[in-house]
Amino acid sequence: MPPRKSTTQQIAESVASESRAQSRAASPVQDDDDEPFFDAIEELQNHGINAQDIAKLKSAALNTVTGVRMTPKRQLLKIKGLSEAKEAVQKMLGSSFSTGIEVSDKRKKVVTISTGSKSVDSILGGGIQTQSISEVYGEFRTGKTQMAHTISVIAQLPADMGGGGGKVAYIDTEGTFRPDRIRAIADRFGVDGEAALSNILYARAFNSEHQMELINEATSRFAEEKDYRLLGSLLIVDSIMALFRTDFSGRGELSERQQKLASMLSKLTKIAEEYNIAVLLTNQVQCTVYIHGFRERAKRELADPGATMTFVAGGALKPIGGHILAHASATRMFLRKGRGEERVAKLVDSPDRPESEATYKLDEGGWSDV
C-alpha cells in the first residue's frame, strides 16, 4: 500500500494541477465583469483538500490558489497543521513560465482609472492601472489625499467615464478621509453621494501592525465578496509611511522598519496581481537643508534615516521609504505647487511611459484640469 500523502503534499499537488490547467487554457479577455479574475481557495476542495485545511489557509490571508503559489515555502510551513513534508511544498510552484502571448493576454485585462485630470491622465497613459502599485508623493497641499478622494469616486464609474466599474477599499493612516469630499466629487460626476460612499470600504489604521492587518482583511473582502471581484476595483493607502515614521525612529530601528515595509509592499504587489486591482499609495517627503553650500544631514537623518537612501528628481524634496518603496512602486509621480492654484505632477518612474509633467488644480470636485 502506498504511503498516505500529507496535507501539505495534497495542497502542493492541487495547486500544481491548477497551474497546469491554467497554462493549457487560453486567456481570453474577460467580458463578464461578474466573473472573478482569480481562482478562489475553495477550488482546492476539488483536489482533495478538506474544508478544515482550507480554513487554516484563509486564516493566514491566503484566499486564492494564486495566493498559495505566491507564498514562500517557509511561510507556508508556519501555518499550524500544515508543517508536514517540507520537501513537498516546492511542488506548489509548478511551472511559472508563460509565453509572451499569454502575458499579452493577461495585460489586456488591465483596467485604467482616471485621476480626474485629463492632462495628468495623458502622461500616465490614461490613468493609474490595475495589477500594479502607483505612488504619489509631495509636500502638504499638493493634493495627495484629494487625489485619493477623487479616484475613490472615479473608480466606481463606467469605463466610458474613465472609471473601472469597481469598488474601493480605503485605508486611512492620518485621519484625513472626509465623506463630504466624496459627496462633492460625486456631484461633479452626476453620481449620488450616498451611493458612492456605500461603495467605499473604509478603515482607520493606528499603527504599522494594524495597517498590515487591515491589508490582510482587505484581501479577504476581495476574495469573498462578489462586489469586490469586479474589474477596476481599487485599494488606497493614505499614506503608506506615516505610521512607520512614528513606530520606528533613528538608525537603530531602520533595519527593522525597512524589513516590515518590504513585507507590506510585497503583500500589496501580490494583491494587485492576484485580484487585478489598482493599488494607490500616497507618500510624504523629507526636505534637504543647505547651509552655506553644505548639506545639513543630521536633522534629516534623525527625522527619517531611510530618506537618505534614494535620490529622485524634484530638487531637495525626497520621498521617504528608501529604495524598498522606490522599487515596489511601478509608477511614481511627484506633486509640487505651481503658481496660484496650479499644481504640477511629474511622472518620475514608469515601466512604459517617459518622464513628463502635467498641470492640474484642486477644486470642489477634486482633481481637475487648469
Side-chain angles (χ1 to χ4, degrees), residues 286-290 300 314-318:
Q286 183 65 41
C287 182
T288 300
V289 181
Y290 291 88
R300 177 187 61 186
L317 294 177
K318 298 181 180 181

Side-chain angles (χ1 to χ4, degrees), residues 9-241:
Q9 286 177 315
Q10 293 176 359
I11 294 176
E13 294 176 0
S14 298
V15 177
S17 175
E18 289 287 328
S19 175
R20 288 192 294 270
Q22 290 176 7
S23 64
R24 288 194 300 267
S27 301
V29 178
Q30 183 171 315
D31 293 324
D32 183 3
D33 285 350
D34 290 334
E35 181 183 349
F37 178 76
F38 53 86
D39 292 317
I41 195 71
E42 286 79 8
E43 291 292 325
L44 294 180
Q45 285 186 294
N46 298 328
H47 300 273
I49 306 303
N50 61 51
Q52 184 178 6
D53 292 329
I54 289 177
K56 293 176 182 177
L57 292 171
K58 294 174 71 173
S59 68
L62 298 175
N63 299 287
T64 70
V65 174
T66 302
V68 176
R69 287 174 50 82
M70 289 178 173
T71 304
K73 177 173 64 176
R74 62 186 181 86
Q75 291 187 18
L76 187 71
L77 295 176
K78 294 178 182 179
I79 302 175
K80 185 177 181 181
L82 298 176
S83 59
E84 313 97 327
K86 294 184 180 181
E87 67 279 1
V89 180
Q90 186 63 32
K91 297 179 182 179
M92 295 179 61
L93 298 176
S95 175
S96 297
F97 284 99
S98 57
T99 67
I101 294 296
E102 290 171 330
V103 175
S104 178
D105 288 339
K106 183 179 179 181
R107 292 293 301 170
K108 290 178 182 178
K109 298 179 181 180
V110 171
V111 178
T112 302
I113 304 174
S114 171
T115 63
S117 166
K118 293 182 180 179
S119 60
V120 175
D121 289 345
S122 66
I123 68 174
L124 292 173
I128 71 167
Q129 297 182 342
T130 60
Q131 299 186 22
S132 64
I133 294 177
S134 298
E135 176 197 354
V136 294
Y137 65 91
E139 60 180 329
F140 66 97
R141 288 188 57 79
T142 53
K144 302 184 297 297
T145 296
Q146 295 307 310
M147 178 185 182
H149 282 71
T150 304
I151 207 167
S152 292
V153 175
I154 296 177
Q156 305 175 36
L157 302 177
D160 58 1
M161 296 182 66
K167 287 200 169 188
V168 181
Y170 196 118
I171 298 177
D172 182 7
T173 67
E174 300 181 357
T176 53
F177 179 80
R178 296 293 181 268
D180 287 342
R181 291 295 295 130
I182 297 296
R183 293 188 180 95
I185 295 168
D187 287 342
R188 167 189 169 187
F189 293 98
V191 177
D192 179 70
E194 301 306 311
L197 284 169
S198 68
N199 287 328
I200 299 174
L201 181 69
Y202 172 83
R204 173 75 162 96
F206 294 97
N207 57 65
S208 57
E209 292 181 359
H210 187 206
Q211 185 173 326
M212 187 64 177
E213 292 172 1
L214 292 174
I215 290 172
N216 285 332
E217 183 179 345
T219 64
S220 299
R221 296 294 188 107
F222 290 135
E224 296 174 0
E225 297 186 18
K226 183 177 180 181
D227 289 340
Y228 287 93
R229 295 183 180 183
L230 302 178
L231 290 179
S233 289
L234 172 69
L235 172 61
I236 296 173
V237 182
D238 180 29
S239 67
I240 185 66
M241 289 299 301

